[in-house]
Amino acid sequence: MRYLTIALTKGRLAFKTMELLEQIGISCEEMKDKNTRKLIFTNEELGIRFFLAKANDVPTYVEYGAADIGISGKDVILEEGRKLYEVIDLGTGRCKMCVCGPESARERLKHHELIRVATKYPNIAKDYFYNKKHQTVEIIKLNGSIELAPLVGLSEVIVDIVETGSTLRENGLTVLEEICDLSARVIVNQVSMKRENERINKMIRDLKQLLARQADTV
Ligand code: PRP
């Protein structure tokens, strides 16, 4: 039997995903060793192979078919814009993509002034400002600690993830506009969806049932 390959996002999301998969009978003993530096793990019995990739690369592996399935944040899926199927919202890691800044930037944003927007997500920012709001802005790509940008005068606002809101609060910033909801999603390669239809659909069905059961008990 051909291995079904699942791409996981290195770190917390991989652990959370494995917790869910275990509940539908898909486990991987090899992966539980926290000190391992291995990148690929197999469950021979189930014919399933897992690998750990950097968050932004998961949709790439899935689009090209190097992974049949991937678990990825909606932020990364939107930013990468890859050709793939998004099949399940796992509901983990819920947060929002927002335009944030100091309260003083609200008016400038509203009056469509030419402002600078710092972000780790230039494609999401472009789509929001150009296509949805029809507003011209200058987008500056950063790689992290985005909240710094308005504090030191690099940009007027930022487009970033807000989860608890504490990073914003502690730095005197606020949500100015909400762009979209985010959470972890299951993505599937378009060819695999046909070729491995039976195995993939069973996994989707089992996961959906598990999520429905969990929602009922809350
Ligand atoms: C993310 C995000 C915000 C923060 C939001 O950053 O970019 O900075 O978390 O969370 P909060 O609303 O709960 O404070 P992350 O910690 O992933 O690191 P980064 O700044 O390097 O992107």
Side-chain angles (χ1 to χ4, degrees), residues 149-205:
L151 300 179
V152 298
L154 177 65
S155 70
E156 281 75 21
V157 299
I158 60 174
V159 163
D160 201 16
I161 291 173
V162 180
E163 194 178 350
T164 61
S166 53
T167 312
L168 291 180
R169 268 192 305 278
E170 288 182 29
N171 292 291
L173 303 172
T174 187
V175 171
L176 300 170
E177 291 170 7
E178 286 185 6
I179 299 178
C180 62
D181 291 323
L182 306 169
S183 55
R185 310 288 161 99
V186 178
I187 53 179
V188 178
N189 171 270
Q190 296 187 336
V191 176
S192 304
M193 194 66 152
K194 294 196 189 78
R195 199 173 49 190
E196 296 289 343
N197 184 276
E198 215 170 292
R199 297 168 83 191
I200 292 177
N201 269 330
K202 175 168 176 6
M203 193 183 294
I204 294 174
R205 238 183 0 254

Side-chain angles (χ1 to χ4, degrees), residues 44-109:
E44 298 290 347
E45 239 172 279
L46 297 177
I48 294 184
R49 189 162 73 145
F50 297 91
F51 67 76
L52 298 171
K54 276 279 207 190
N56 287 64
D57 297 336
V58 169
T60 311
Y61 284 106
V62 172
E63 182 188 66
Y64 285 93
D68 300 295
I69 297 172
I71 311 326
S72 182
K74 180 71 178 173
D75 53 335
V76 170
I77 298 170
L78 288 171
E79 183 61 25
E80 292 297 313
R82 297 280 173 184
K83 267 197 240 128
L84 39 81
Y85 296 130
E86 184 185 312
V87 293
I88 310 178
D89 180 348
L90 290 178
T92 45
R94 274 198 198 290
C95 51
K96 281 184 196 292
M97 186 65 74
C98 299
V99 181
C100 311
E103 199 46 58
S104 59
R106 197 181 291 276
E107 284 300 304
R108 303 191 63 186
L109 195 61

